[in-house]
């Protein structure tokens, strides 16, 4: 039974009408949490220097390098319903929080995404 089915069963058992459960379930988004205190095998890196594939330039916006936030080894992550992650390789996340926020607040634009990048690295990529 997947996450949505467990949610559905638990809600119906609590007496919530079926149509309301279905409608609410459409808004649910499942995610994978991260924790620096976990004692298991690391599946990623937070901060520091990103290991970009050889020859790939550092992600930037308007010639300003974007800060590296985190990377995750997709093969080591658990599979989660409705979270279509690649089966292997790594995802590297870059984001300039302040610039994106300022863009949104000061200029009332949707250009804050210019300060964010997700880089996909295939396992065959040379580091």
């Amino acid at each position: 039974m997947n996450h949505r089915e467990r949610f559905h069963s638990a809600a119906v058992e609590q007496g919530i009408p079926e149509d309301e459960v279905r409608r609410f379930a459409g808004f649910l988004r499942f995610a994978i949490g991260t924790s620096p205190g976990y004692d298991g095998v690391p599946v990623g890196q937070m901060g520091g220097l990103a290991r970009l594939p050889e020859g790939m330039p550092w992600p930037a916006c308007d010639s300003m390098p974007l800060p590296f936030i985190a990377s995750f080894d997709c093969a080591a992550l658990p599979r989660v319903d409705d979270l279509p992650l690649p089966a292997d390789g790594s995802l590297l996340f870059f984001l300039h929080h302040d610039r994106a926020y300022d863009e949104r607040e000061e200029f009332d634009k949707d250009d804050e995404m210019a300060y964010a990048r997700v880089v996909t690295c295939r396992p065959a990529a040379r580091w």
Side-chain angles (χ1 to χ4, degrees):
M1 184 180 296
N2 68 33
H3 289 87
R4 287 190 188 277
E5 291 167 343
R6 286 197 301 263
F7 167 79
H8 184 269
S9 295
V12 170
E13 287 173 14
Q14 295 289 323
I16 300 172
E18 184 93 25
D19 62 328
E20 289 182 31
V21 173
R22 265 196 305 275
R23 188 177 18 217
F24 183 79
F27 294 105
L28 294 177
R29 300 295 179 261
F30 295 102
I32 296 171
T34 61
S35 171
Y38 178 68
D39 292 332
V41 176
V43 297
Q45 167 190 343
M46 296 194 60
L49 291 175
R51 294 177 14 167
L52 291 168
E54 188 175 313
M56 177 179 274
W58 193 271
C61 180
D62 298 330
S63 73
M64 177 187 65
L66 295 174
F68 172 63
I69 302 299
S71 67
F72 296 96
D73 175 2
C74 293
L77 291 172
R79 298 295 111 193
V80 175
D81 303 324
D82 299 330
L83 186 59
L85 293 172
D88 56 12
S90 297
L91 295 175
L92 285 67
F93 295 85
F94 299 83
L95 174 65
H96 196 302
H97 297 92
D98 294 335
R99 296 294 287 264
Y101 180 79
D102 290 346
E103 185 73 26
R104 183 74 165 180
E105 292 297 309
E106 292 178 20
F107 302 107
D108 195 28
K109 293 183 182 178
D110 291 329
D111 292 341
E112 77 270 20
M113 292 308 294
Y115 298 100
R117 300 281 188 290
V118 177
V119 174
T120 304
C121 299
R122 301 285 175 224
R126 291 178 40 211
W127 301 95

